Amino acid sequence: MKVTKKRYLFLTYTILFAILCMIVFYPFFTNHLSLIWGRSGEDGTSQHLASLLYYGDYIRTFFNNLIHGNFQFPMWNNSIGFGSDIITTLNYYAIGDPLNIVYVFANKANASYLYTFMTLFRAYLAGISFIIFGCYFKKNAYGILIGSFTYVFSGVFLNFAIRHPFFLNPMIYLPLLVVGVEKIYRKEKPYLFTIMIAISAMSNFYFFYMLTAVAVIYALIRFPVYKEAGFFKTLGRFAGWYILGLGLSMILLLPVIIAFMGNARSSSGVNYFNIFLYQRKYYQSIILQSIGFHQIGRGTSLNFIALAYCGGIVLLLKKSKERFPYKASLILGVVFTLFPIFAYILHAFSYPTNRWHFALAFIVGAVLMEVYDDLLDLTLIQKIGIVLGIVFYYLAYKRYAEGAIDVKYAAIILILTAFVLFVVNEIPFMSKFRLNHLLLLGLTCFSVSFTGFGHYSTRLSKVINSYVAFDEAYDLLGEQEDSLFRSANIKVNQLDRVDAMNESVPNWGIIRHIPTTTNYYSITDKNVSDSLENLGLNQYQYKFKFKKLDMRENLLNLYHVKYIVINKNNGAKIPNGYELIKSNEKNNLYENKNIVPFGYTYNTYVTEKDFANANAAQKEQTMTQNAVISDSNDIASASLKKSSITDNLVTHDVYTNFYYHKTKKKEKVVQIQIPKEYFNDQCYIYLQNIQTIPSNSGRNHILYTGKNNTRLKVGISGHTANIYNAEKDSIYDIDNRNYLVEVNTEKIKKDQKYVTLSIIMKRRATYKIGKISVVQINSKTQTAALNTLRSNPHLTDISYDGANHFSGNIKTTDDRILCIPFAYSKGWNATDNGKSVKVIKVNGMFCGIVLKPGTHNIKLNYTTPGLKIGACISLISLIILIGIAIRSRKKLLKD
């Protein structure tokens, strides 16, 4: 294809893409909505926007420090969850993606606009990448355009990537990676392949795995064409350039791999008996939504234009050896979509989801590009095939979805598409003045526009209801809380955590540099996740999403929560020690005036083995009196007394083997009467071994329903607690769960004989609770334990730079374990009076140091595990690549 034609092709694509975006996203713009998904705290605001805004600020701060002679490279941030590595946590969302450099210009005023523009720009680049692929294979320019729009405006973008913008990145990389594979086969310059491997690996390890799998499958499909070179010789060439690309990425990839090995989310279980067949309804949706408008579930993204449906039929009904790669790819794509075992494998053996469907969208777009000339000159068998395909779709509509307006519209568009194809083929005049080409291109644009209308029109869907207005996105990330601190003239430092009881958007503290008790990141340290899960927190939703400490006094002190922001109408009991210091129309700000110091000590301990056998209430009480350590060998050099699990709690069993099978939609409430004498001034309802089994469980059960809303509520003494209990066998299922629900005994009347416990069930399912108990806390013992922690030797003269370096002084008269409430990581190194000492894990998730009697100057320094080694590997790989390029150039000039 000539350069001039390529320029016109890119220009035409750019103009049409802009027009299509204005049409497809018209409902957003008329309602002044951004493309940020997350009005109720979904991923768009809490993960993507928060991470990108922080990343932009991170870049600005870093270079500003360099200008002023500060060469510090921050690697740790205490505002990420309970403290976390910056690079490994945010690589998934921001760091490593070259396009995200633009967020250096982001601020409160333009954040929503920049986010929206970058989402569309990524989609635009995916189309550009496809065009480069089509031009490399010298395909028809109109076929390339139609294929690119089919690829870009598929369900991958319209259903999923619009909610997670980085899902568009593999759509940008894949066509270029395929071209890179071809260049190696054709013995052309292999640098594109190596560079795309490096960029993909640095950008997002999650999709890099899928891209690698797809590239390998593509290379195997194409091998018969180039088999003369020999399999093992070809394998060696690919392996060499792949490893070199991998080496270039190691500066980011190695730290991320190390972090992933200790990731909480990767430990989620899978029911291996249910990964061979989907639910029957899924297969029905596969047919109907192949050209429809709505989601199918399981990450399955089809929703192609009707012309693609016809194009697939045309491809399969014409014998051609040259088209074997297209046929094989399409058939494999369909087979992989039909069986969850393939989704499981392509999702890195985590759980079955079809997020690899960006590859299927690429296959469908490439198929349409390949058969474009056939569409203008259909054979009789191809025409018959299209007619039968329409009949099949119509029968499926009548059988499974009659009355569904979206499928009805899809069927009409399919019939219209077939009609246009027959007009183009049967009327010779259409070939004059390129009317046939323009008609098919116009049909494609019309189909894309209508598909977009079906996705986002308020008449046909409620999709846009969860998207955020341009002027509210930034404020959703903790503006109410931050405004209280500003009005109170309080600058929260990087050691004092904040618990915001009403905050529905997790991760809000990251862009305001405020440590919080929320976490919603796909890379979450397993130690932190497991520790919080074992404490029976109501707000612990699943392995990588948890927020708030349920206003439990012990935990607030142990985790150094200095401030609480709470809605005036919340009605929750304020823990001891917290005093009201500021109020506005909606919220109150409380400060703990008697908080346990940051860096407290113990002279007794229990092991994690013993700790694991305690119940949630015992674990909380135990940590106020004893350090919890992994192994006695960690403190072998110290004279510390081993203690036992705190057992001064009084427990009254109320109900055993609660079972209820809910079959109706209406909310069901079961009330249990508990004698008033079971309650003292401080107590909990303890729910053990909760399990929720969905109504569609069994052989046809879909492992992941995509729903993670509240499934259970517990009401007592005027207070209702939401229990986030994932359904059995869902991807968020973490087996039987235990919960502690604190009772506000101040609201129990003196003349009451019984206190009513309400179990409120929201969904159709089977609910099981192994045991319901009332646990009485000895408030005097608890207060004494906290007072002892406060008075014990603790860190003074604390200095923290907000990043990698922490120091403090402490004087002890006996052997002790120092607990510093930074999340434990192997990246922390410690010195005591300048001498290197071991950092141990204390209380399940924090840093600890064993102290001998005397005066100590403690310093903690953090380095991302694997970063230095990864940087060295990347540098060596870059030198090798440059050396190979120079040598090749010299050889070329010599020849």
Side-chain angles (χ1 to χ4, degrees):
M1 189 176 291
K2 294 181 179 180
V3 175
T4 304
K5 287 187 177 181
K6 285 185 181 180
R7 288 177 180 172
Y8 281 122
L9 180 58
F10 286 116
L11 178 61
T12 303
Y13 168 77
T14 301
I15 294 172
L16 289 177
F17 178 86
I19 293 172
L20 287 174
C21 282
M22 286 189 285
I23 297 172
V24 169
F25 299 105
Y26 177 79
F28 286 86
F29 303 140
T30 55
N31 290 282
H32 199 63
L33 295 176
S34 68
L35 298 187
I36 302 172
W37 177 53
R39 182 170 288 175
S40 300
E42 293 90 347
D43 300 14
T45 49
S46 59
Q47 293 184 331
H48 308 310
L49 181 64
S51 299
L52 291 167
L53 287 175
Y54 171 78
Y55 182 47
D57 181 63
Y58 180 87
I59 298 171
R60 291 193 300 269
T61 303
F62 175 72
F63 282 105
N64 183 62
N65 289 340
L66 284 182
I67 293 172
H68 291 86
N70 181 1
F71 299 99
Q72 183 187 39
F73 178 60
M75 290 175 272
W76 182 269
N77 190 314
N78 221 31
S79 300
I80 301 176
F82 282 79
S84 186
D85 185 278
I86 297 170
I87 295 172
T88 58
T89 303
L90 300 187
N91 170 260
Y92 192 79
Y93 310 102
I95 298 176
D97 179 359
L99 292 173
N100 286 334
I101 297 295
V102 72
Y103 282 93
V104 72
F105 303 109
N107 55 47
K108 179 178 180 179
N110 68 18
S112 300
Y113 297 95
L114 185 59
Y115 183 102
T116 299
F117 169 78
M118 288 304 296
T119 301
L120 298 178
F121 184 61
R122 278 185 167 85
Y124 170 78
L125 290 180
I128 291 293
S129 181
F130 186 93
I131 291 173
I132 293 172
F133 158 78
C135 290
Y136 181 80
F137 282 91
K138 299 179 181 179
K139 299 300 180 180
N140 184 291
Y142 287 98
I144 294 172
L145 275 177
I146 291 173
S148 67
F149 289 130
T150 302
Y151 178 48
V152 173
F153 290 99
S154 64
V156 175
F157 178 31
L158 299 179
N159 272 327
F160 291 99
I162 188 176
R163 300 189 296 176
H164 310 276
F166 69 90
F167 279 27
L168 285 165
N169 285 12
M171 295 185 73
I172 301 171
Y173 304 151
L174 180 58
L176 299 178
L177 189 58
V178 168
V179 173
V181 171
E182 284 292 327
K183 282 181 174 288
I184 291 179
Y185 267 136
R186 299 181 186 187
K187 297 183 179 180
E188 299 172 358
K189 293 180 180 180
Y191 307 130
L192 178 63
F193 177 79
T194 297
I195 291 170
M196 293 315 301
I197 289 295
I199 292 176
S200 301
M202 287 190 292
S203 176
N204 186 281
F205 75 96
Y206 174 75
F207 282 115
F208 171 64
Y209 169 83
M210 298 181 205
L211 285 165
T212 297
V214 172
V216 169
I217 294 171
Y218 176 80
L220 290 173
I221 291 173
R222 290 290 284 163
F223 177 73
V225 179
Y226 302 101
K227 61 183 178 181
E228 293 81 5
F231 179 79
F232 291 105
K233 186 176 180 181
T234 302
L235 178 63
R237 292 183 66 213
F238 274 110
W241 292 111
Y242 181 89
I243 292 172
L244 186 57
L246 210 59
L248 290 171
S249 71
M250 279 297 164
I251 188 172
L252 289 179
L253 184 60
L254 183 58
V256 170
I257 291 174
I258 292 172
F260 188 74
M261 298 300 291
N263 186 29
R265 186 171 187 174
S266 62
S267 63
S268 297
V270 172
N271 186 332
Y272 294 99
F273 295 102
N274 284 341
I275 62 173
F276 297 104
L277 279 177
Y278 291 113
Q279 188 183 24
R280 183 173 60 182
K281 188 177 180 181
Y282 171 88
Y283 295 105
Q284 298 169 4
S285 298
I286 284 288
I287 299 170
L288 299 172
Q289 298 302 332
S290 61
I291 57 172
F293 311 135
H294 293 158
Q295 292 186 28
I296 298 171
R298 305 306 302 260
T300 305
S301 308
L302 302 178
N303 309 123
F304 299 109
I305 62 173
L307 190 61
Y309 183 86
C310 297
I313 295 172
V314 168
L315 174 74
L316 296 174
L317 291 180
K318 185 174 182 179
K319 292 183 178 180
S320 174
K321 290 184 179 180
E322 291 77 15
R323 288 181 175 174
F324 169 77
Y326 293 92
K327 291 182 179 180
S329 299
L330 183 61
I331 291 171
L332 282 176
V334 172
V335 171
F336 284 9
T337 300
L338 293 177
F339 301 101
I341 183 66
F342 297 108
Y344 175 66
I345 294 170
L346 288 172
H347 199 241
F349 301 91
S350 181
Y351 55 85
T353 186
N354 289 311
R355 287 182 177 172
W356 62 271
H357 264 188
F358 63 89
L360 180 60
F362 174 68
I363 292 168
V364 171
V367 164
L368 198 49
M369 176 186 70
E370 172 65 21
V371 302
Y372 178 77
D373 290 332
D374 289 44
L375 295 175
L376 300 175
D377 188 21
L378 294 169
T379 64
L380 178 61
I381 190 66
Q382 288 171 332
K383 293 175 182 176
I384 294 173
I386 291 174
V387 171
L388 291 178
I390 293 174
V391 171
F392 172 73
Y393 188 86
Y394 179 76
L395 291 176
Y397 160 68
K398 295 291 288 184
R399 176 68 176 83
Y400 302 118
E402 187 170 12
I405 191 168
D406 61 316
V407 182
K408 180 179 180 181
Y409 284 154
I412 293 172
I413 297 296
L414 179 59
I415 294 171
L416 175 63
T417 298
F419 175 77
V420 171
L421 282 175
F422 291 146
V423 167
V424 167
N425 276 266
E426 301 300 328
I427 301 179
F429 176 75
M430 287 295 168
S431 61
K432 294 184 179 181
F433 311 111
R434 299 185 179 180
L435 289 178
N436 50 357
H437 299 295
L438 295 176
L439 193 56
L440 288 186
L441 182 58
L443 175 66
T444 299
C445 292
F446 172 77
S447 297
V448 166
S449 301
F450 205 91
T451 299
F453 173 79
H455 274 291
Y456 306 126
S457 168
T458 52
R459 291 181 56 192
L460 296 180
S461 76
K462 298 180 180 179
V463 169
I464 69 171
N465 292 345
S466 60
Y467 285 80
V468 180
F470 280 105
D471 57 356
E472 70 174 339
Y474 187 91
D475 289 347
L476 283 174
L477 290 165
E479 177 59 26
Q480 288 189 28
E481 289 71 23
D482 199 20
S483 65
L484 261 179
F485 287 110
R486 292 196 304 268
S487 63
N489 293 318
I490 294 175
K491 177 70 175 176
V492 182
N493 65 46
Q494 279 286 296
L495 302 179
D496 297 329
R497 291 192 172 95
V498 177
D499 199 334
M501 289 301 295
N502 314 298
E503 183 54 64
S504 61
V505 180
N507 306 336
W508 62 271
I510 185 174
I511 67 170
R512 303 177 188 277
H513 305 286
I514 296 176
T516 68
T517 58
T518 78
N519 182 92
Y520 187 27
Y521 300 100
S522 287
I523 298 294
T524 293
D525 187 80
K526 190 176 186 294
N527 293 319
V528 175
S529 178
D530 288 351
S531 295
L532 295 172
E533 176 193 345
N534 292 333
L535 292 170
L537 292 165
N538 309 161
Q539 296 294 325
Y540 183 98
Q541 296 187 21
Y542 35 86
K543 288 288 186 180
F544 59 102
K545 186 177 184 180
F546 35 86
K547 49 185 180 178
K548 310 179 183 66
L549 296 174
D550 295 350
M551 302 284 276
R552 284 157 61 173
E553 182 182 351
N554 288 335
L555 300 184
L556 294 171
N557 277 281
L558 291 169
Y559 294 4
H560 205 75
V561 176
K562 189 172 183 178
Y563 301 101
I564 292 175
V565 180
I566 188 168
N567 188 284
K568 289 181 176 180
N569 299 322
N570 185 283
K573 181 181 178 182
I574 306 301
N576 295 325
Y578 286 86
E579 295 181 9
L580 179 65
I581 60 171
K582 192 66 179 179
S583 181
N584 62 19
E585 303 82 29
K586 294 183 178 180
N587 300 308
N588 290 328
L589 173 62
Y590 295 87
E591 180 181 357
N592 191 345
K593 298 292 187 178
N594 196 25
I595 193 169
V596 170
F598 193 93
Y600 45 89
T601 61
Y602 303 90
N603 58 5
T604 58
Y605 71 93
V606 298
T607 62
E608 287 185 352
K609 183 178 180 180
D610 294 333
F611 191 73
N613 297 321
N615 64 44
Q618 288 175 320
K619 288 176 179 176
E620 177 186 314
Q621 297 293 319
T622 297
M623 286 191 296
T624 64
Q625 302 171 44
N626 310 282
V628 181
I629 62 172
S630 301
D631 195 308
S632 297
N633 292 328
D634 289 338
I635 57 166
S637 62
S639 299
L640 293 163
K641 181 182 178 182
K642 183 178 180 181
S643 187
S644 57
I645 300 299
T646 300
D647 194 23
N648 58 358
L649 310 178
V650 178
T651 302
H652 299 282
D653 293 338
V654 173
Y655 204 107
T656 57
N657 297 322
F658 176 92
Y659 177 95
Y660 192 87
H661 181 62
K662 184 173 177 291
T663 58
K664 297 180 179 180
K665 284 186 176 182
K666 188 177 180 181
E667 180 179 277
K668 177 64 179 178
V669 180
V670 174
Q671 294 185 333
I672 300 171
Q673 301 298 317
I674 305 174
K676 181 185 175 182
E677 57 265 25
Y678 284 6
F679 298 87
N680 66 345
D681 62 328
Q682 186 174 356
C683 54
Y684 295 97
I685 296 296
Y686 189 34
L687 308 169
Q688 299 179 59
N689 298 322
I690 293 184
Q691 191 176 83
T692 308
I693 304 172
S695 57
N696 64 334
S697 63
R699 184 171 56 87
N700 288 325
H701 175 47
I702 290 183
L703 300 181
Y704 173 35
T705 63
K707 299 175 181 177
N708 52 36
N709 298 326
T710 305
R711 290 172 171 79
L712 195 65
K713 288 186 177 182
V714 177
I716 188 167
S717 185
H719 173 64
T720 301
N722 296 322
I723 301 297
Y724 294 88
N725 194 59
E727 292 177 346
K728 180 177 173 56
D729 290 336
S730 79
I731 63 168
Y732 298 138
D733 179 26
I734 49 179
D735 209 358
N736 295 347
R737 295 279 299 277
N738 303 322
Y739 297 91
L740 282 175
V741 179
E742 188 165 10
V743 181
N744 189 350
T745 55
E746 294 176 356
K747 294 188 177 182
I748 298 177
K749 298 177 181 179
K750 291 183 179 181
D751 57 349
Q752 282 185 241
K753 291 185 178 181
Y754 294 93
V755 178
T756 302
L757 172 68
S758 299
I759 307 294
I760 306 162
M761 292 159 282
K762 305 291 289 184
R763 293 208 187 137
R764 283 187 280 195
T766 298
Y767 296 85
K768 294 182 179 180
I769 305 176
K771 184 184 288 186
I772 302 174
S773 308
V774 177
V775 178
Q776 294 182 357
I777 305 298
N778 188 321
S779 57
K780 291 183 179 180
T781 302
Q782 175 174 290
T783 300
L786 287 174
N787 286 334
T788 299
L789 266 187
R790 295 184 185 103
S791 61
N792 279 348
H794 57 266
L795 288 178
T796 59
D797 305 318
I798 291 175
S799 174
Y800 180 50
D801 65 356
N804 311 330
H805 307 294
F806 172 89
S807 66
N809 299 319
I810 186 171
K811 183 177 181 179
T812 64
T813 57
D814 58 353
D815 289 357
R816 288 196 168 263
I817 297 175
L818 170 66
C819 178
I820 304 174
F822 283 126
Y824 173 81
S825 167
K826 292 182 179 179
W828 286 112
N829 295 297
T831 61
D832 182 354
N833 294 329
K835 182 180 178 181
S836 179
V837 292
K838 182 180 180 180
V839 178
I840 66 173
K841 185 176 63 172
V842 177
N843 292 349
M845 59 183 279
F846 290 136
C847 294
I849 298 173
V850 178
L851 301 175
K852 289 289 187 178
T855 302
H856 307 268
N857 174 246
I858 303 297
K859 291 184 179 179
L860 288 180
N861 298 292
Y862 183 80
T863 303
T864 300
L867 181 63
K868 292 180 179 179
I869 297 175
C872 290
I873 296 173
S874 292
L875 180 60
I876 293 170
S877 301
L878 181 60
I879 292 171
I880 293 173
L881 181 62
I882 293 173
I884 292 173
I886 293 173
R887 183 181 177 185
S888 299
R889 182 174 176 80
K890 287 181 177 179
K891 184 178 179 180
L892 183 64
L893 292 173
K894 186 177 179 180
D895 294 340

